[in-house]
Amino acid sequence: MKAQPQASHFIDGAYVEDTDGTVIESIYPATGEVIARLHAATPAIIEKAIASAKRAQKEWASWSPAARGRVLKKAAEIMRERNRELSELETLDTGKPIQETIVADPTSGADSFEFFGGIIATAMNGSQIPLGGDWAYTKRVPLGVVVGIGAWNYPQQIACWKGAPALAAGNAMVFKPSEVTPLGALKIAEILIEAGAPKGVYNVIQGDRETGPLLVSHPDVAKVSLTGSVPTGRKVAGAAASQLKHVTMELGGKSPIVVFDDADIESAISGAMLGNFYSTGQVCSNGTRVFVHKAIKEVFLSRLKARTEAILIGDPQDEATQMGPMVSLAQREKVLSYIDKGKAEGATLVTGGGIPNSVTGEGFYIQPTVFADVTDDMTIAREEIFGPVMCVLDFDDEAEVIERANATEFGLSAGVFTADFSRAHRVVDQLEAGTLWINTYNLCPVEIPFGGSKQSGFGRENSAAALEHYSELKTVYVGMGKCEAPY
Ligand code: NAD
């Protein structure tokens, strides 16, 4: 199986190679096979990408917002036409089952291009401020060259969720995908050119944790938008702050789902399973601490166990497969070590806990795992695992569960399942998170803002709110009379 792109980078409208860069191997997680070899960007490639973006941005920003919007909407159309091909590539890049990628990856990227392409014609309007005789007006202007740095769990979606609002607002983007999943973003760059974007408006370069800092500290870069872990976020935000650059930080989480005793139990189990097992648990907003009211604990766990054991694990290219492997061997090792800690610290293993017997070969498979009787101080309840490991904790009382749910440095997401709507709103009001769900979980349509609070980051992706993070206000005071001075 091969997925070798024409070259490693896409700059100024064309594929570019520089074999001096360190080799990045793209590994298909279902077999462990190397499916492409690419090169990390050298300093020369970085200069080329940023210079091209800087040139292109001037022209792009001079287009009317509606004209930029037309290009983005065209890109959305092309992505939808090629959904199958792009989804197959995403499956090779990440190991996520085609059943998921066909509905969640290129399609959510296309939604983003379509949404921002649609709203931009009016979303960049400024205001007019009367001041008596004088007056002022504001303009919303792009920042310039912006850098996007991606994680490996949603490579195409992240490339689009950053690219669409950035380009709509009149910026040019240099995007660096994760070194673990280098393939998808190159296709997005190709599609934007096909849709009519000027060369250089969206460049993709490859690289790892050595390459990222070179982009972040480049003097011609006005903003960095990172999707990644909290430790990386601290480094990137620190480096950007030293040059007073704008940042958006989409970081990790340890989000709570609270299931009250009046909840529809099957629905709450669906929410908890979606929020722990989709994409083999590799989703930042996952609700990995599931607080279940003691009165329904037994029935919740027995149904959860049965439904978890029925998940079809296997070949990601088979339409029937519901769960694929983890993205890498290293990530599986990390998750297995957390499972060992859960067992050692006294949590009850309800199901899973190892490598499934049902799949053979060299793939990075792992069983969907549920721990019960988890307490707040256990490592598995405190640290982000980023794999299919659900921790079920018990609670008695509303005030108690809110306090425990908030007792974390993270604040990405939270969910509540209850039939009592005043309780639902009262509880979400007190939960410390950027994105919350009532009686559902992990739905992130482009129309709603997405992002975290506390150590999970700042800035928002999606919705009109994202445009504020890719533009700034320019204020013009217009003096209508003579300029008076006391001197
Ligand atoms: P990571 O932090 O290891 O890497 C993220 C990206 O940052 C990669 O492209 C990497 O090459 C780059 N990078 C690493 N060090 C850097 C540095 N010093 N300067 C600049 N760039 C650097 O994260 P990961 O393992 O790829 O992804 C998993 C993490 O991402 C999890 O913590 C997850 O919660 C988080 N995540 C968050 C969201 C969100 O929207 N909040 C979405 C997906 C994933």
Side-chain angles (χ1 to χ4, degrees), residues 147-154 157-158 161-162 175-181 207-216 224 226-237 239 249-254 282-286 327 331 334 384-386 410 412-413 450-452 456-457 461:
V147 159
I149 300 179
W152 41 255
N153 57 343
Y154 281 80
Q157 182 186 83
I158 294 171
W161 280 17
K162 297 192 187 306
F175 185 81
K176 187 198 86 60
S178 164
E179 59 274 33
V180 182
T181 51
D208 54 16
R209 56 197 60 242
E210 309 292 321
T211 320
L214 302 177
L215 286 172
V216 175
V224 182
L226 168 78
T227 298
S229 62
V230 173
T232 303
R234 290 199 179 104
K235 285 185 206 146
V236 172
M249 291 284 142
E250 292 292 352
L251 309 177
K254 192 74 199 176
Q282 303 163 117
V283 180
C284 52
S285 50
N286 272 356
V327 78
Q331 189 61 18
K334 183 179 156 199
E384 185 185 46
I385 299 174
F386 221 58
F410 301 108
L412 186 53
S413 310
F450 177 77
S456 293
E461 296 201 306

Side-chain angles (χ1 to χ4, degrees), residues 20 40 52 147 158 212-213 216 221 226 245 270 322 352 355 370 381 460 479:
D20 284 348
S52 140
V147 159
I158 294 171
V216 175
V221 169
L226 168 78
K245 292 180 177 175
S270 297
Q322 295 172 313
I355 295 171
V370 177
R460 291 292 177 266

Side-chain angles (χ1 to χ4, degrees), residues 95-97 280 312-316 321-326 364-366:
K96 295 194 288 183
T280 320
L312 277 177
I313 307 172
D315 176 2
T321 295
Q322 295 172 313
M323 187 183 278
M326 304 226 57
F364 316 133
Y365 289 92
I366 193 164

